[in-house]
Amino acid sequence: MDEIIERIMNDPLNKDYTERGIKPILQVSPEAKILIIGQAPGAKAEANQTPFLDASGTKLKDWMGIGDTIFYGKEIAILPMDFYFPGKGKTGDLPPRKGMVRYHEEFIKQMPDIKLTILIGAYSNKYYLNKRMKKNLTETVRCAHEYLPYYPIVHPSPLNARWQKKNPWFLEKNVPELRRLVAEALENS
């Protein structure tokens, strides 16, 4: 997997990051049981060189029912749609840059024990579920169990608090289901 990371760093699309000493922000292990596919690292993740080391990560770990030791251990892999922080926009972070997702398949082939793939937010859901998505992300997340071994969720960002209030079924139904699926995937670790 180090060879793939090296190719990401040498990709001309990432020259600016590499020249500034920023490495791709991801977490991979051949022993991974759960794969998290997120949007793109935020500014805090870039500064710490650790995925989800922010308020979104705290919420995600809570939704999954696990702590830091498991989350940052060998059983959890994290592949964002962009391996670098794409920058700030008018209303939040910029979307993931196109082109980085092409490395996913190579990583996934080297993680043969993945039992559950958590798709976070619209970008990963559109890419991985494609035409299987419902009319929007909310309806796709509402029917998350239909996509197993993929499990679509909304982004755990504090900015999504309004969405969560408008959709209480997510915390009532989906989060307990996600916790059960995470526990089952990790059971034999």
Side-chain angles (χ1 to χ4, degrees), residues 38-49:
Q39 182 169 296
K44 285 183 181 177
E46 180 179 271
N48 295 309
Q49 290 289 285

Side-chain angles (χ1 to χ4, degrees), residues 1 29-34 74-76 110-113 189:
M1 292 192 203
S29 165
E31 299 169 58
K33 305 282 190 252
I34 297 171
K74 64 184 182 208
E75 294 93 2
I76 307 290
Q110 295 188 42
M111 297 186 287
D113 297 326
S189 296

